[in-house]
Amino acid sequence: MKLIIIDYGAGNIKSIQFAFKRLGIDAVLSDNPDEILAADKIIFPGVGEASSAMKMLKETGLDVLIPQLKQPVLGICLGMQLLCEHTEEGNTTGLGVFKTKVKRFDNHVKVPQMGWNVIKDLKSDLFKGIKENEYMYLVHSYYAEHCNETIATTDYGINYASALQHNNFYGVQFHPEKSSLAGEQILKNFLKLEVKS
Amino acid sequence: MLTKRIIPCLDIKDGRTVKGVNFVDLRDAGDPVELAKQYAAMGADELVFLDISATLEARATTLDMVMHVAEQVNIPFTVGGGISSVEHVDALLKCGADKVSINSSAVKRPDLVNELADKFGSQCVVVAIDAKQIDGNWKVHLAGGSIPTDIDLFQWAKEVEERGAGEILFTSMNHDGTKNGFANEALAKLSELLNIPIIASGGAGNVQHFVDTFKDGKADAALAASVFHYGEIAIKELKKELKKQHIEVRL
């Protein structure tokens, strides 16, 4: 199992690396296209601001590479949002893998949403063994709108897509690496996913 | 629904926990990693490590400790105490801290809040405010509460929100250590005034105090040290009681 965490200078990726280490997997940080293409599984992380993250992806050509990947890819937090068509954050065009848009929470809820909330309406092998209304740790100011690629939803002022799937691409708004045992189960499930051709 | 968070706070000196703890199962009560793991298993939603080391050498030890905590603990944690530069925050986040909390350094140089929010995102910038009510007015205090200033708590909290803070950790010095309950009136006012999460700190003595700070103080999270460390309140039991009183918690 060769697991790559795409390293494009965005945020805190150490936590993800440690979470896999707890599962006995050494995840490699890389921005090298050849290495990424040769991986079995790929994590696309992201913490920080969307437009500057997208700028870093463009500088390295990863914006072209990522949508072409054939292996299971898991976008986490901002990584998931960047896989969408567009985000209001910095009015940024995304990679367009998920056919949905990312908007800012209204100010009638506290922004960012910070803490543990439940995920429900689960439909994906990614959530094998995860019960409906399981708690996950979330920190975000922007959310992905529902679409027919939604595989989990969460309520925070509105009901939004807290996970998405398009073919081999998976995206989660929450942080499985910080979501206790249930989060670990999701990472384990991701490691077991196979691409259906 | 987003749940209310319970946050144990650990004081760290030279990479070790300082305040005594009363956990039966611990091999080494001074080991922050072991304590953190134990709290995570007990149902703590987050952890705060407050570095009270006095020297730079000791702070280097803290970086090492942060790395070990991140390696072994599967819930989020914040590191605070003596943080005054972008470089220091960069190092802490690279070691695996999820958030950092700044206090006196933000008062001395408010632009630090903007710099951190711009570089790392608001989500990891907690501004801790120690304040004391004097003649009816809440005044910000520095250096662990030892130096009074003329700055108004509410004005300062609003300012740091505008500068990009993602969360406020408010400690009432009138309540801290008293075990008589949190400063709910001031907390509710903060919650009304700001649109970012507020962590209540100072005054936890019993379960009802947590109920009150979530209901009356409108706090998003509650932080405590000794009641948890000495086993006076068990986190699981606390959360069960909160749930019984219709407060959303992760159980």
Side-chain angles (χ1 to χ4, degrees), chain B residues 22-38:
Chain B
N22 193 16
F23 288 169
V24 273
D25 298 339
L26 286 184
R27 273 180 292 130
D28 176 2
D31 179 3
V33 177
E34 181 127 355
L35 255 180
K37 280 169 78 171
Q38 186 102 345

Side-chain angles (χ1 to χ4, degrees), chain A residues 12 28 33 78 93 95-96 98-100 102 111 122 126 129 157 163 180 193:
Chain A
N12 170 9
V28 179
L78 181 64
T93 302
L95 300 176
F98 300 131
K99 303 294 175 231
T100 190
V102 177
V111 183
L122 308 178
L126 192 61
S180 196
L193 288 177

Side-chain angles (χ1 to χ4, degrees), chain B residues 221-251:
Chain B
L223 176 143
S226 60
V227 287
F228 297 139
H229 300 331
Y230 294 112
E232 291 162 23
I233 296 179
I235 292 174
K236 276 252 153 65
E237 299 310 313
L238 167 61
K239 285 184 149 185
K240 277 184 194 157
E241 185 56 33
L242 289 171
K243 186 124 195 167
K244 217 190 269 174
Q245 305 225 26
H246 310 290
I247 293 164
E248 284 289 326
V249 286
R250 178 177 69 107
L251 264 176

Side-chain angles (χ1 to χ4, degrees), chain A residues 30-58:
Chain A
S30 176
D31 62 352
N32 179 310
D34 295 329
E35 210 169 9
I36 293 170
L37 283 167
D40 298 307
K41 298 270 157 62
I42 294 154
I43 302 289
F44 179 37
V47 170
E49 197 274 329
S51 64
S52 42
M54 191 52 82
K55 200 171 144 225
M56 288 189 275
L57 289 174
K58 283 188 175 152

Side-chain angles (χ1 to χ4, degrees), chain A residues 106-170:
Chain A
D106 276 343
N107 274 339
H108 66 273
V109 289
K110 288 197 175 185
V111 183
Q113 167 171 228
M114 189 177 291
W116 299 77
N117 201 337
V118 298
I119 55 169
K120 55 188 183 169
D121 308 316
L122 308 178
K123 44 180 180 189
S124 165
D125 285 349
L126 192 61
F127 301 123
K128 220 171 178 177
I130 301 291
K131 62 179 199 297
E132 283 284 315
N133 296 308
E134 182 57 84
Y135 292 101
M136 291 291 151
Y137 184 75
L138 299 132
V139 187
H140 61 125
S141 302
Y142 295 79
Y143 68 92
E145 287 187 306
H146 273 304
C147 64
N148 55 18
E149 295 169 338
T150 301
I151 53 169
T153 77
T154 294
D155 293 321
Y156 190 61
I158 53 137
N159 182 248
Y160 65 94
S162 46
L164 295 159
Q165 183 193 350
H166 175 83
N167 297 334
N168 56 316
F169 288 90
Y170 298 78

